[in-house]
Amino acid sequence: MPIRQLKASGVRNLQPLDLDFHPGVNFIYGANGSGKTSVLEAINLMAAGKSFRTSRLQHVFSQESDRIEMLMAIEDETLGECELDSLRLKGGDHLLKQNGSVLTSQADASHWLPVQIIEPTTFKLLAGSPEERRQFIDWGVFHVEHAFMEHWKTFRKQLKQRNSVLKQKEDEWLAVWNKGFIESATAIDQHRRDYLKRFKPEFERILTQLDDSIDVTLAYYPGWEKDSALSDVLERQKERDMVLGYTQSGPHRAELRIKVDKQPAAEILSRGQQKTVVAALKIAQGSLFQQESGRRTIYLVDDLASELDEKHRFALCKLLEDLKCQVFITSIDKEKLNDIWQPAASKVFHVEQGKIREDEPGTD
Ligand SMILES: Nc1ncnc2c1ncn2[C@@H]1O[C@H](COP(=O)(O)OP(=O)(O)OP(=O)(O)O)[C@@H](O)[C@H]1O
Ligand SMILES: [Mg+2]
């Protein structure tokens, strides 16, 4: 069972909650504005240290509180049991603990919570900035390759240093910083390439199951000219980098190009088709993660009914069921949920004006 229990207070309109979840499917239903998405947002806050709805975390704090407190009990088949404890203050301070010991990095908590989100704006993964698709690839690499995080941290530091040398126009220091920069950039690039090689066939398999009429291709761009060595590119761009005061090329500019007939998929596919492709990307990523780590992905599926038509909804739920992973799925009414999915075992939660409670088994 991944998330066994969640206690939370201070999130949006939610009353303090203390819930025991099902290891499989958790249905959350309630009227518009009752707080369903906020429950998913709370889970994701622990998993990713951020909201999927806003880049400004202060909006997630309840208007009546300047602190968000959360406690999550996790039972992972491979990693074992763990309790994550988080206290966030509106001013920005954050104290994160694992089994009572302070964690210095969000990544340590994220490691326990391989969460994927499918919600009404996820189609933006196709149309949005390259950063979103970069983060998408890196989720897969991070959760499978533990060395990746260290390479990434080192690279961030080196990029910062290199940019500051460029700003100061300290030409003579550039060669010194280039060496480490290229080393960590190459390591990140290699991790991403290896990952995508394994990911592509899984994505194609899942997309065919969701909709075999959509034909998209995934092309990886490393962040610099494809057939050139990064060292040559940096040398060539030195003057311009110096004028701009930042590094134009490197893994911080990598991109996953998603295309239909050589055109960007976001320009060609219908909204529903885009949602299907994004769902396939996310299911494929979770599936590959499960195959490679032996652990299970946690899916947050918000407002599925508004996402896809009936045929695609069924196909998606079937895939989630096959993965046998923990799923949190919201809808405005209970019947709609039952129409979509009747898993063998599940828990149902009702949210009403910020109060969430578990339905007694057998209640309608
Ligand atoms: N910071 C906040 N403090 C208090 N209440 C808030 C805050 N931010 C949003 N709200 C309110 O919280 C409620 C819950 O929002 P949420 O998006 O979780 O609802 P929902 O059940 O997902 O609704 P829908 O079915 O429309 O998607 C809304 O009524 C919203 O106005
Ligand atoms: Mg909602």
Side-chain angles (χ1 to χ4, degrees):
M1 173 188 288
I3 305 175
R4 184 168 53 77
Q5 185 193 16
L6 173 69
K7 289 190 196 181
S9 65
V11 177
R12 301 262 186 196
N13 72 327
L14 296 176
Q15 303 283 316
L17 56 86
D18 182 354
L19 302 170
D20 289 325
F21 292 129
H22 194 278
V25 182
N26 295 273
F27 285 133
I28 300 167
Y29 73 99
N32 288 138
S34 56
K36 304 177 295 296
T37 304
S38 304
V39 178
L40 304 189
E41 205 175 14
I43 295 172
N44 189 61
L45 187 56
M46 189 63 111
K50 60 184 181 187
S51 162
F52 56 84
R53 278 212 277 195
T54 173
S55 56
R56 300 177 67 193
L57 213 52
Q58 78 232 42
H59 295 308
V60 183
F61 287 80
S62 156
Q63 276 151 9
E64 280 138 39
S65 171
D66 57 3
R67 58 201 283 144
I68 293 178
E69 282 184 81
M70 282 199 280
L71 185 141
M72 199 181 261
I74 302 168
E75 279 175 25
D76 187 283
E77 283 158 316
T78 306
L79 301 181
E81 290 186 18
C82 136
E83 207 170 81
L84 295 175
D85 219 315
S86 154
L87 168 65
R88 284 179 186 276
L89 301 182
K90 214 171 189 170
D93 289 336
H94 183 205
L95 180 65
L96 189 59
K97 289 184 189 167
Q98 178 183 333
N99 299 332
S101 305
V102 174
L103 294 178
T104 50
S105 147
Q106 170 64 44
D108 294 332
S110 300
H111 176 58
W112 284 85
L113 292 162
V115 165
Q116 288 278 350
I117 307 154
I118 298 174
E119 52 92 34
T121 65
T122 38
F123 66 90
K124 282 203 202 134
L125 185 59
L126 296 192
S129 70
E131 190 184 359
E132 293 188 40
R133 289 180 293 281
R134 211 158 42 233
Q135 282 176 3
F136 173 79
I137 307 175
D138 288 350
W139 186 101
V141 186
F142 167 77
H143 279 290
V144 179
E145 302 288 344
H146 299 305
F148 180 74
M149 200 60 210
E150 284 313 307
H151 288 306
W152 183 248
K153 277 189 202 155
T154 310
F155 173 75
R156 295 294 311 173
K157 269 188 223 147
Q158 276 157 344
L159 178 64
K160 222 168 137 191
Q161 290 286 1
R162 191 173 190 276
N163 286 347
S164 117
V165 167
L166 289 168
K167 276 197 194 85
Q168 310 294 324
K169 314 233 178 297
E170 295 169 332
D171 200 354
E172 67 283 7
W173 282 103
L174 214 48
V176 179
W177 285 111
N178 275 356
K179 190 173 173 291
F181 180 89
I182 291 168
E183 261 170 33
S184 51
T186 310
I188 291 166
D189 179 51
Q190 198 54 51
H191 277 306
R192 287 174 172 164
R193 276 175 202 276
D194 292 346
Y195 177 71
L196 285 171
K197 212 187 233 166
R198 307 192 308 272
F199 175 75
K200 275 187 203 169
E202 187 60 11
F203 167 67
E204 282 157 17
R205 183 179 79 82
I206 299 288
L207 182 60
T208 311
Q209 288 187 42
L210 274 180
D211 189 326
D212 59 8
S213 70
I214 305 175
D215 196 7
V216 298
T217 53
L218 304 180
Y220 170 64
Y221 166 71
W224 62 91
E225 290 160 40
K226 214 168 87 200
D227 300 318
S228 301
L230 180 58
S231 52
D232 295 341
V233 174
L234 292 178
E235 189 54 37
R236 246 194 333 269
Q237 294 180 338
K238 196 167 95 177
E239 300 303 323
R240 183 90 184 118
D241 278 0
M242 212 99 83
V243 173
L244 292 170
Y246 64 82
T247 307
Q248 297 171 80
S249 294
H252 56 300
R253 289 295 179 87
E255 158 76 301
L256 180 66
R257 293 181 175 150
I258 304 171
K259 295 185 176 175
V260 173
D261 288 335
K262 299 194 177 144
Q263 305 294 323
E267 302 287 346
I268 305 289
L269 298 179
S270 75
R271 184 62 62 90
Q273 286 173 324
Q274 290 184 42
K275 288 179 176 181
T276 303
V277 170
V278 172
L281 286 165
K282 298 201 168 196
I283 302 275
Q285 193 158 60
S287 168
L288 187 63
F289 167 73
Q290 294 194 187
Q291 291 164 33
E292 296 192 338
S293 69
R295 298 175 57 205
R296 289 179 207 272
T297 313
I298 299 162
Y299 278 91
L300 310 181
V301 185
D302 196 18
D303 204 4
L304 181 68
S306 80
E307 286 296 273
L308 300 165
D309 63 26
E310 199 175 291
K311 180 175 146 235
H312 290 97
R313 278 202 304 262
F314 274 116
L316 179 72
C317 291
K318 170 85 178 65
L319 284 167
L320 288 172
E321 202 162 345
D322 290 349
L323 284 179
K324 297 189 173 57
C325 55
Q326 191 174 37
V327 181
F328 296 85
I329 184 165
T330 72
S331 178
I332 39 179
D333 55 56
K334 203 173 170 180
E335 288 67 40
K336 270 223 174 74
L337 284 173
N338 289 335
D339 285 350
I340 300 171
W341 199 358
Q342 288 108 13
S346 62
K347 276 192 180 186
V348 180
F349 298 89
H350 183 206
V351 199
E352 219 173 356
Q353 293 179 1
K355 279 198 206 89
I356 173 163
R357 57 171 179 76
E358 191 186 334
D359 271 6
E360 295 299 324
T363 51
D364 281 313

mmCIF file of all heavy atoms in Angstrom, residues 12-13 31-38 53 59 61-63 332, ligand 1:
data_model
loop_
_atom_site.group_PDB
_atom_site.id
_atom_site.type_symbol
_atom_site.label_atom_id
_atom_site.label_comp_id
_atom_site.label_asym_id
_atom_site.label_seq_id
_atom_site.Cartn_x
_atom_site.Cartn_y
_atom_site.Cartn_z
ATOM 1 N N ARG A 12 -6.233 25.133 1.407
ATOM 2 C CA ARG A 12 -7.409 25.716 0.723
ATOM 3 C C ARG A 12 -8.617 25.783 1.670
ATOM 4 O O ARG A 12 -8.512 26.264 2.770
ATOM 5 C CB ARG A 12 -7.747 24.898 -0.539
ATOM 6 C CG ARG A 12 -6.605 24.849 -1.531
ATOM 7 C CD ARG A 12 -6.751 25.855 -2.624
ATOM 8 N NE ARG A 12 -5.730 25.689 -3.639
ATOM 9 C CZ ARG A 12 -5.426 26.597 -4.540
ATOM 10 N NH1 ARG A 12 -6.034 27.749 -4.572
ATOM 11 N NH2 ARG A 12 -4.488 26.383 -5.428
ATOM 12 N N ASN A 13 -9.765 25.220 1.198
ATOM 13 C CA ASN A 13 -10.980 25.292 2.028
ATOM 14 C C ASN A 13 -11.150 24.041 2.894
ATOM 15 O O ASN A 13 -12.188 23.887 3.547
ATOM 16 C CB ASN A 13 -12.222 25.421 1.122
ATOM 17 C CG ASN A 13 -12.527 24.117 0.393
ATOM 18 O OD1 ASN A 13 -11.604 23.374 0.063
ATOM 19 N ND2 ASN A 13 -13.788 23.835 0.144
ATOM 20 N N ALA A 31 -19.685 18.196 -4.768
ATOM 21 C CA ALA A 31 -20.155 19.257 -5.675
ATOM 22 C C ALA A 31 -18.996 20.147 -6.126
ATOM 23 O O ALA A 31 -17.909 20.098 -5.548
ATOM 24 C CB ALA A 31 -21.205 20.097 -4.945
ATOM 25 N N ASN A 32 -19.265 20.969 -7.119
ATOM 26 C CA ASN A 32 -18.268 21.958 -7.547
ATOM 27 C C ASN A 32 -17.871 22.812 -6.350
ATOM 28 O O ASN A 32 -18.720 23.214 -5.555
ATOM 29 C CB ASN A 32 -18.846 22.898 -8.623
ATOM 30 C CG ASN A 32 -19.037 22.214 -9.966
ATOM 31 O OD1 ASN A 32 -20.048 22.412 -10.633
ATOM 32 N ND2 ASN A 32 -18.077 21.415 -10.362
ATOM 33 N N GLY A 33 -16.605 23.058 -6.232
ATOM 34 C CA GLY A 33 -16.122 23.931 -5.160
ATOM 35 C C GLY A 33 -16.082 23.277 -3.784
ATOM 36 O O GLY A 33 -15.820 23.948 -2.789
ATOM 37 N N SER A 34 -16.349 21.969 -3.693
ATOM 38 C CA SER A 34 -16.383 21.334 -2.359
ATOM 39 C C SER A 34 -14.979 21.095 -1.797
ATOM 40 O O SER A 34 -14.776 21.121 -0.583
ATOM 41 C CB SER A 34 -17.174 20.022 -2.424
ATOM 42 O OG SER A 34 -16.618 19.162 -3.394
ATOM 43 N N GLY A 35 -14.005 20.843 -2.676
ATOM 44 C CA GLY A 35 -12.632 20.642 -2.181
ATOM 45 C C GLY A 35 -11.934 19.396 -2.720
ATOM 46 O O GLY A 35 -10.891 19.000 -2.204
ATOM 47 N N LYS A 36 -12.485 18.785 -3.777
ATOM 48 C CA LYS A 36 -11.910 17.529 -4.309
ATOM 49 C C LYS A 36 -10.488 17.733 -4.839
ATOM 50 O O LYS A 36 -9.568 17.000 -4.480
ATOM 51 C CB LYS A 36 -12.785 16.985 -5.455
ATOM 52 C CG LYS A 36 -14.233 16.761 -5.085
ATOM 53 C CD LYS A 36 -15.035 16.305 -6.282
ATOM 54 C CE LYS A 36 -15.157 17.329 -7.395
ATOM 55 N NZ LYS A 36 -15.893 18.555 -7.022
ATOM 56 N N THR A 37 -10.351 18.748 -5.686
ATOM 57 C CA THR A 37 -9.017 18.987 -6.261
ATOM 58 C C THR A 37 -8.025 19.346 -5.160
ATOM 59 O O THR A 37 -6.842 18.996 -5.234
ATOM 60 C CB THR A 37 -9.088 20.095 -7.332
ATOM 61 O OG1 THR A 37 -10.059 19.727 -8.310
ATOM 62 C CG2 THR A 37 -7.752 20.286 -8.034
ATOM 63 N N SER A 38 -8.526 20.022 -4.128
ATOM 64 C CA SER A 38 -7.633 20.422 -3.033
ATOM 65 C C SER A 38 -7.049 19.212 -2.307
ATOM 66 O O SER A 38 -5.918 19.271 -1.807
ATOM 67 C CB SER A 38 -8.388 21.306 -2.036
ATOM 68 O OG SER A 38 -8.932 22.416 -2.720
ATOM 69 N N ARG A 53 -1.603 23.368 -9.495
ATOM 70 C CA ARG A 53 -2.578 24.360 -9.933
ATOM 71 C C ARG A 53 -2.029 25.771 -9.997
ATOM 72 O O ARG A 53 -2.531 26.615 -10.717
ATOM 73 C CB ARG A 53 -3.749 24.380 -8.937
ATOM 74 C CG ARG A 53 -4.738 23.303 -9.208
ATOM 75 C CD ARG A 53 -6.100 23.756 -8.822
ATOM 76 N NE ARG A 53 -6.336 23.572 -7.400
ATOM 77 C CZ ARG A 53 -7.545 23.620 -6.863
ATOM 78 N NH1 ARG A 53 -8.588 23.862 -7.613
ATOM 79 N NH2 ARG A 53 -7.696 23.435 -5.578
ATOM 80 N N HIS A 59 -1.242 30.652 -2.398
ATOM 81 C CA HIS A 59 -2.659 30.478 -2.689
ATOM 82 C C HIS A 59 -3.203 29.165 -2.158
ATOM 83 O O HIS A 59 -4.415 28.991 -2.021
ATOM 84 C CB HIS A 59 -2.911 30.572 -4.193
ATOM 85 C CG HIS A 59 -2.604 31.923 -4.750
ATOM 86 N ND1 HIS A 59 -3.120 33.076 -4.205
ATOM 87 C CD2 HIS A 59 -1.813 32.312 -5.774
ATOM 88 C CE1 HIS A 59 -2.658 34.112 -4.873
ATOM 89 N NE2 HIS A 59 -1.860 33.680 -5.823
ATOM 90 N N PHE A 61 -2.435 27.941 0.799
ATOM 91 C CA PHE A 61 -2.722 28.111 2.235
ATOM 92 C C PHE A 61 -4.170 28.569 2.403
ATOM 93 O O PHE A 61 -4.631 29.452 1.691
ATOM 94 C CB PHE A 61 -1.802 29.173 2.845
ATOM 95 C CG PHE A 61 -0.389 28.706 3.022
ATOM 96 C CD1 PHE A 61 0.487 28.687 1.946
ATOM 97 C CD2 PHE A 61 0.064 28.284 4.257
ATOM 98 C CE1 PHE A 61 1.797 28.250 2.097
ATOM 99 C CE2 PHE A 61 1.367 27.847 4.424
ATOM 100 C CZ PHE A 61 2.238 27.825 3.342
ATOM 101 N N SER A 62 -4.850 27.958 3.346
ATOM 102 C CA SER A 62 -6.213 28.386 3.643
ATOM 103 C C SER A 62 -6.205 29.878 3.983
ATOM 104 O O SER A 62 -5.269 30.368 4.619
ATOM 105 C CB SER A 62 -6.732 27.586 4.835
ATOM 106 O OG SER A 62 -7.743 28.302 5.472
ATOM 107 N N GLN A 63 -7.263 30.568 3.548
ATOM 108 C CA GLN A 63 -7.317 32.005 3.857
ATOM 109 C C GLN A 63 -7.323 32.256 5.361
ATOM 110 O O GLN A 63 -7.007 33.335 5.824
ATOM 111 C CB GLN A 63 -8.567 32.626 3.217
ATOM 112 C CG GLN A 63 -8.323 32.993 1.764
ATOM 113 C CD GLN A 63 -9.564 32.950 0.908
ATOM 114 O OE1 GLN A 63 -10.679 32.811 1.414
ATOM 115 N NE2 GLN A 63 -9.378 33.047 -0.392
ATOM 116 N N ILE A 332 -17.821 14.785 -9.844
ATOM 117 C CA ILE A 332 -18.822 15.535 -9.103
ATOM 118 C C ILE A 332 -19.931 14.655 -8.528
ATOM 119 O O ILE A 332 -20.497 14.976 -7.511
ATOM 120 C CB ILE A 332 -19.441 16.723 -9.897
ATOM 121 C CG1 ILE A 332 -19.649 16.348 -11.349
ATOM 122 C CG2 ILE A 332 -18.639 17.981 -9.742
ATOM 123 C CD1 ILE A 332 -20.271 17.452 -12.160
HETATM 124 N N1 LIG B 1 -6.726 29.625 -0.224
HETATM 125 C C1 LIG B 1 -7.996 29.284 -0.067
HETATM 126 N N2 LIG B 1 -8.586 29.357 1.149
HETATM 127 C C2 LIG B 1 -9.877 28.983 1.315
HETATM 128 N N3 LIG B 1 -10.651 28.534 0.315
HETATM 129 C C3 LIG B 1 -10.121 28.459 -0.913
HETATM 130 C C4 LIG B 1 -8.773 28.811 -1.181
HETATM 131 N N4 LIG B 1 -8.514 28.616 -2.479
HETATM 132 C C5 LIG B 1 -9.643 28.147 -3.014
HETATM 133 N N5 LIG B 1 -10.617 28.062 -2.089
HETATM 134 C C6 LIG B 1 -11.982 27.524 -2.248
HETATM 135 O O1 LIG B 1 -11.847 26.136 -2.012
HETATM 136 C C7 LIG B 1 -12.915 25.455 -2.640
HETATM 137 C C8 LIG B 1 -12.429 24.132 -3.143
HETATM 138 O O2 LIG B 1 -11.813 24.203 -4.364
HETATM 139 P P1 LIG B 1 -11.505 22.898 -5.221
HETATM 140 O O3 LIG B 1 -10.908 23.377 -6.473
HETATM 141 O O4 LIG B 1 -10.764 21.919 -4.414
HETATM 142 O O5 LIG B 1 -12.975 22.332 -5.481
HETATM 143 P P2 LIG B 1 -13.459 21.090 -6.348
HETATM 144 O O6 LIG B 1 -14.274 20.220 -5.454
HETATM 145 O O7 LIG B 1 -12.301 20.457 -7.011
HETATM 146 O O8 LIG B 1 -14.414 21.807 -7.392
HETATM 147 P P3 LIG B 1 -14.701 21.512 -8.952
HETATM 148 O O9 LIG B 1 -15.698 20.383 -9.008
HETATM 149 O O10 LIG B 1 -15.318 22.785 -9.421
HETATM 150 O O11 LIG B 1 -13.423 21.197 -9.616
HETATM 151 C C9 LIG B 1 -13.517 26.415 -3.637
HETATM 152 O O12 LIG B 1 -14.771 26.767 -3.159
HETATM 153 C C10 LIG B 1 -12.578 27.599 -3.615
HETATM 154 O O13 LIG B 1 -13.271 28.795 -3.796
#
